[in-house]
Each structure stands twice: as C-alpha cells, then as structure tokens.
Amino acid sequence: MTNLLDQIEQSIRARKLLSRGERVLVAVSGGLDSVALLHLLHELAVKNRWKLTLAHLNHQLRGRDSNADERFVRAMSARLKLPCVAERANVRAHAQEHGLSIEMAARHLRHEFLARTARRLKIRKVALAHHADDQVELFFLRWLRGAGGEGLAGMKWHSPSPANSAIQLVRPLLNVSKADLKQFARKYRVRFREDASNTSLDFQRNRIRHELLPWLRS
C-alpha cells in the first residue's frame, strides 16, 4: 500500500487538494473506486488530521441491490468509526419529470445531494473517486458528442461543484489506474460491491469501456 499511499499523498500536496486538519466529505457508492479512495484517505487521515465523513446516495435503480449497497456503506462507516450520511432519490421519476437520461438525472441528483450535505455539515471539500481510466473514457465520450477543445480537456483535479460553486470537488485518484485500484483491493482484501449496471451496454460510457477501448488497445 505504501507506494500507492505515497503517490496519492504527493498528488494531494502538489495540487493543494486538501489542507492539514481539513474536513472532507467522501462520496462512496460502495463500488471498487470509491471504497478504495475511502480506505486510502482513511490511512492518510491520522497523519494529516483529516476528518472524514462518508456520503452515499441510493439511486433506487437496482431494487434490492441498491439497498444492499446502502447497507454495505453504512456498515463500512461503522467499522471505520466514521460518520455517514445516506439518502435515497427517485432517479427514474426525476429523469421523466425533467426529460433527462437516467445517467444525467443520477448525476444531477448526486451532485445536489453532495453539495447540500457538505453545506449543511460546513464541509468545503468533497472527494470523488474518478481515476485515470475514467479520464480516458470521458475524453472519448465527449469527443463522440462533438465537444470542443475545453470539453476534451477532461476532468480537473479540483473544480467547483455544479450544484454549488462554494463547494470544491477534489479528485485525488486522477493519475491512478483502475488496475492499480484492483491490485490494492486484492492485496489488502478490501471488500466492495459489484454494480451489474457497469457491464450493461445500454449506456454509452460502458460501450466505450468494454468495446471501443479494448479494440483500440488491440
């Protein structure tokens, strides 16, 4: 874990993502990426005097599996002795009401929840688990949608929340690959939840992940 911890700590310091003693809201879905981020920040928290709080939004899109994700995150927060805020949202109803795709509706509600929770708890930073592979996928996703130069630049290490510009989103894993996160989870037996929707080809991002990128690599 040492090398990955050092890498992340160096990224946080070099890019001034988090200050010593800062309170941080960590967005945790229960999947590999966010659980790995949580464990890595938790390992660094004592040294840096960070005060972590978990935030989980149950999108209610996968029935019992969504509820199981919520229970998993709550149980994990209890094991780590960290506070947790969990809420539920009707993503399908929101998508239908506002004429949005399920993906966009989920994103909108998730950012609104994170910003509202951070503001209520007087936390300025929200840590997200976007990593290097997400950055590549986002480039092709935006390129296929005809984005210009600024859009193709991808995600930034830190940026204001689209739901509240007073809240800063930080992404400490942007130079970490998915393979590194998987290796970390295997080596240290980090438990996480598998989301079956991540393999569904109904979503354009998944088609890029499972079809376009493997084809380009080959």
Side-chain angles (χ1 to χ4, degrees), residues 21 40-52 82:
L40 290 162
L41 291 180
H42 187 248
E43 286 291 326
L44 294 167
V46 174
K47 178 181 177 182
N48 293 279
R49 297 176 59 192
W50 296 328
K51 300 172 182 65
L52 308 181
L82 296 173

Side-chain angles (χ1 to χ4, degrees), residues 94-164:
H94 186 78
Q96 185 173 8
E97 180 181 352
H98 297 277
L100 300 171
S101 68
I102 291 293
E103 288 177 288
M104 289 304 296
R107 181 180 184 276
H108 176 265
L109 289 172
R110 185 165 56 249
H111 277 301
E112 194 279 332
F113 160 68
L114 292 171
R116 173 167 36 83
T117 301
R119 185 176 179 84
R120 178 171 62 82
L121 298 177
K122 298 181 180 179
I123 297 174
R124 293 181 55 251
K125 302 286 181 65
V126 177
L128 304 178
H130 297 120
H131 49 73
D133 294 43
D134 290 326
Q135 193 77 295
V136 174
E137 292 169 10
L138 182 62
F139 170 84
F140 282 104
L141 188 64
R142 289 180 171 176
W143 178 63
L144 291 170
R145 291 175 177 172
E150 185 176 349
L152 293 177
M155 290 177 284
K156 295 179 173 61
W157 286 86
H158 55 84
S159 60
S161 164
N164 186 331

